[in-house]
């Protein structure tokens, strides 16, 4: 029993990140890239690593309002991520549609399409807010693995 | 029966298996931490690779629908088992004598490309275009770096062979013994070019940064590993960790296998320290300082510099006895 708990706490310290751009204006993506890549806000200290393939991912960061053109693709990529996984909506766009709200080309906010665990509001959110979002996602990830 | 058990122990626990795995993952952790410190980041904990492996083991496996499933499942095991055997064959100076065969060095030459072959199988069986590109790049890379490796190994074998009165010596145990008596080969100026060539060979065979074309995250999204998830991916990472130990160990055995006084425990630590130093100079520093080369540049690089250096050593061993 103790070994199982130990293994779980070890596994919980290695969340790999994957970003999906669901029609974002690139503002949030730039913030995501800087939070991860610049030394000052290094997320690798939390054990995170950005991965190129959805099949390696644990925490998905989704930016953008999910346009009609990418909806199916987002769903397809999301389903390729092995369980257990945690979803983080970055920016006001996936939360409510933001400036694109009620547009004819937006099939709805993100949580009407896939389950969302953490919301990080802001347009675009500050790097600190994104890191806090990742930390919250980490807490959820610990309960799932 | 007793022999069988001892073989199983050596392959699964001591120089192969558990010990080599722990050392390999530790080396990877140190590599990541030092790289982060060089970039003035905090970096992950040193035990991070262990956490990654445990996590990957608990994740779901997703098989590609149109891939060749048996091959897809077999590929990671091939690379992993090849490296397990290689770790058992390789001697640890002062601790373990290796296979003590006549030609274990030649056997190593066949075992070392196993993970690359596994990557090729993985890439081509996963039915993904990125995987196929990754597999073809891995193949090109392998053709490039195998040539200097062969020349380095021949240079070392001829050197020790001539010095002991024969032609060539392909036994690791004999090579270590010779160096323990006559000083390490790295201090011999005729072998220094070969050592440089070996340093350049290391990042290529490990697929680390200037030569990571097969797994280039930004272009081919980790190439052959793209379709792997969960335990299969963990197996590939374990194989890579073992390969780290085997390649560094090969360098230590061929060029500076000196021992320090004390029992086998101190010598094991000494071996680990030497592996770590070799890794810091050939992998971490290079990784921090360079960007990726193109496929054709890599190919030209390997056929120009390391191959020339290794041939120089080979020539010198022939003329200067
Ligand atoms: S939240 Fe703002 S910055 Fe982010 S994608 Fe939407 S509009 Fe762009």
């Amino acid at each position: 029993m103790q070994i199982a708990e130990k293994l779980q706490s070890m596994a919980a310290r290695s969340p790999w990140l994957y970003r999906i751009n669901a029609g974002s204006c690139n503002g949030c993506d730039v913030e995501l890239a800087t939070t991860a890549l610049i030394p000052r806000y290094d997320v690798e200290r939390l054990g995170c690593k950005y991965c190129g393939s959805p099949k390696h991912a644990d925490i998905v960061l989704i930016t953008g309002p999910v346009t009609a053109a990418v909806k199916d693709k987002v769903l397809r990529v999301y389903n390729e991520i092995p369980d257990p996984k945690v979803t983080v909506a970055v920016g006001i766009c996936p939360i409510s549609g933001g400036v694109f709200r009620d547009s004819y080309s937006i099939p709805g906010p993100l949580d009407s399409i896939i389950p969302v665990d953490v919301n990080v509001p802001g347009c675009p959110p500050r790097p600190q807010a994104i890191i806090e979002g990742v930390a919250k996602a980490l807490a959820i990830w610990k309960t799932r693995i | 029966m007793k022999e069988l058990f001892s073989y199983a122990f050596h392959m699964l626990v001591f120089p192969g298996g558990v010990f080599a795995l722990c050392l390999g993952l530790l080396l990877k952790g140190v590599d990541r931490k030092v790289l982060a410190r060089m970039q003035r980041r905090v970096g992950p904990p040193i035990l991070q690779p262990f956490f990654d492996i445990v996590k990957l083991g608990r994740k779901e496996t997703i098989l590609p629908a149109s891939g060749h499933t048996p091959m897809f499942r077999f590929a990671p095991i091939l690379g992993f088992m090849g490296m397990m055997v290689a770790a058992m064959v390789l001697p640890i100076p002062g601790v373990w004598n290796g296979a003590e065969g006549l030609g274990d060095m030649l056997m190593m030459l066949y075992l070392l490309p196993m993970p690359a072959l596994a990557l090729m199988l993985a890439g081509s069986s996963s039915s993904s275009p990125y995987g196929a590109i990754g597999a073809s790049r891995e193949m090109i890379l392998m053709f490039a770096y195998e040539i200097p490796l062969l020349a380095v190994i021949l240079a070392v074998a001829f050197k020790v062979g001539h010095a002991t009165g024969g032609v060539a010596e392909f036994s690791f145990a004999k090579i270590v013994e010779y160096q323990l008596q006559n000083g390490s080969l790295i201090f011999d100026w005729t072998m220094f070019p070969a050592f440089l060539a070996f340093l350049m060979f290391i990042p290529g065979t490990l697929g680390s940064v200037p030569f990571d074309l097969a797994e280039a995250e930004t272009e081919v999204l980790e190439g052959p590993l793209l379709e792997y998830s969960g335990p299969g991916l963990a197996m590939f990472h374990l194989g890579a960790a073992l390969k780290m130990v085997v390649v560094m160990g090969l360098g230590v055995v061929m060029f500076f296998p000196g021992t320090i006084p004390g029992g086998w425990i101190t010598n094991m630590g000494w071996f680990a320290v030497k592996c770590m130093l070799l890794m810091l100079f050939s992998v971490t520093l290079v990784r921090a300082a360079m960007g990726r080369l193109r496929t054709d540049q890599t190919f030209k690089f390997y056929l120009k510099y390391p191959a020339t250096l290794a041939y120089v050593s080979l020539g010198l061993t022939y003329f200067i006895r």
Side-chain angles (χ1 to χ4, degrees):
Chain A
M1 196 60 223
Q2 251 177 354
I3 292 177
E5 272 169 25
K6 187 91 193 144
L7 283 181
Q8 188 189 10
S9 77
M10 273 174 88
R13 296 180 64 176
S14 155
W16 289 0
L17 310 176
Y18 182 70
R19 340 187 259 259
I20 300 179
N21 179 334
S24 122
C25 77
N26 210 24
C28 287
D29 295 281
V30 170
E31 292 300 333
L32 273 182
T34 52
T35 36
L37 297 181
I38 68 171
R40 185 161 164 196
Y41 304 117
D42 178 31
V43 284
E44 208 185 356
R45 71 176 99 176
L46 301 174
C48 301
K49 190 177 93 168
Y50 271 103
C51 44
S53 158
K55 295 204 171 158
H56 305 174
D58 304 308
I59 294 183
V60 214
L61 302 152
I62 304 184
T63 58
V66 195
T67 60
V70 298
K71 184 184 159 195
D72 291 341
K73 284 145 194 135
V74 168
L75 266 176
R76 204 173 131 191
V77 173
Y78 183 77
N79 287 332
E80 280 202 3
I81 299 170
D83 283 326
K85 55 193 166 195
V86 180
T87 325
V88 182
V90 177
I92 203 72
C93 277
I95 299 174
S96 69
V99 288
F100 308 110
R101 189 173 185 164
D102 300 333
S103 159
Y104 63 90
S105 66
I106 306 293
L110 184 64
D111 57 2
S112 67
I113 299 168
I114 53 177
V116 174
D117 297 300
V118 180
N119 283 318
V120 182
C123 178
R126 297 172 59 107
Q128 292 92 324
I130 296 179
I131 291 181
E132 199 199 350
V134 169
K136 276 183 185 156
L138 269 175
I140 298 174
W141 162 246
K142 279 198 178 113
T143 62
R144 293 211 178 145
I145 183 78
Chain B
M1 199 62 196
K2 209 175 151 202
E3 245 183 13
L4 200 69
F5 271 121
S6 104
Y7 276 131
F9 176 81
H10 287 316
M11 196 168 139
L12 297 177
V13 186
F14 175 55
V18 178
F19 169 72
L21 273 178
C22 290
L23 183 58
L25 291 176
L26 197 69
L27 283 178
K28 290 225 158 215
V30 170
D31 173 43
R32 277 176 79 177
K33 184 83 187 173
V34 173
L35 181 81
R37 297 306 303 168
M38 282 180 184
Q39 295 172 340
R40 298 204 181 173
R41 291 189 283 127
V42 178
I46 285 182
L47 294 183
Q48 187 64 40
F50 291 92
F51 302 154
D52 289 350
I53 296 294
V54 171
K55 178 208 70 180
L56 284 173
R58 297 168 76 100
K59 297 259 306 183
E60 183 190 16
T61 303
I62 297 180
L63 294 172
S66 53
H68 189 290
T69 312
M71 197 84 99
F72 187 79
R73 284 181 185 277
F74 172 66
I77 302 172
L78 175 73
F80 179 74
M81 285 321 283
M83 282 298 101
M84 284 283 251
V85 177
M88 184 180 96
V89 167
L90 202 70
I92 300 175
V95 184
W96 159 250
N97 276 336
E100 296 184 88
L102 278 176
D104 45 2
M105 207 167 181
L106 295 178
M107 190 169 152
M108 184 57 84
L109 209 55
Y110 281 94
L111 286 173
L112 259 187
M114 282 286 208
L117 290 176
L119 275 183
M120 278 178 224
L121 273 187
S124 34
S125 67
S126 65
S127 83
S128 142
Y130 294 115
I133 295 174
S136 81
R137 284 180 171 194
E138 181 71 46
M139 195 143 46
I140 293 170
L141 186 63
M142 201 176 109
F143 280 125
Y145 67 65
E146 286 289 291
I147 294 169
L149 174 69
L150 192 60
V152 168
I153 283 192
L154 281 181
V156 171
F158 279 137
K159 173 88 198 166
V160 178
H162 284 162
T164 52
V167 180
E169 186 59 75
F170 284 111
S171 151
F172 280 127
K174 295 265 174 58
I175 287 171
V176 172
E177 199 181 287
Y178 170 77
Q179 294 184 66
L180 289 184
Q181 283 161 6
N182 299 310
S184 300
L185 284 183
I186 192 175
F187 300 122
D188 182 336
W189 67 272
T190 56
M191 291 312 287
F192 197 69
F195 177 65
L196 286 183
F198 190 77
L199 272 187
M200 294 182 200
F201 155 80
I202 291 173
T205 188
L206 293 176
S208 83
V209 155
F211 311 115
D212 64 335
L213 357 127
E215 286 158 40
E217 231 169 88
T218 38
E219 303 153 33
V220 289
L221 311 174
E222 314 206 7
L225 301 183
L226 172 69
E227 297 286 336
Y228 279 90
S229 60
L233 188 61
M235 206 72 157
F236 265 118
H237 282 299
L238 288 176
L242 279 177
K243 188 167 184 180
M244 186 80 125
V245 176
V246 170
V247 172
M248 299 307 155
L250 186 64
V252 170
V253 163
M254 286 202 306
F255 293 103
F256 41 93
T259 49
I260 52 172
W264 61 277
I265 294 184
T266 49
N267 273 315
M268 211 156 72
W270 184 224
F271 176 76
V273 167
K274 281 190 289 190
C275 283
M276 206 166 282
L277 282 178
L278 192 56
M279 181 197 70
L280 288 179
F281 280 104
S282 62
V283 178
T284 316
L285 250 176
V286 180
R287 200 149 84 93
M290 287 170 106
R292 177 165 49 250
L293 295 179
R294 285 199 316 264
T295 317
D296 59 326
Q297 288 170 330
T298 308
F299 198 70
K300 280 183 199 146
F301 173 83
Y302 269 114
L303 294 193
K304 265 187 201 159
Y305 306 107
T308 317
L309 285 170
Y311 283 134
V312 166
S313 269
L314 198 55
L316 285 176
T317 50
Y318 193 76
F319 290 115
I320 303 174
R321 299 235 161 165

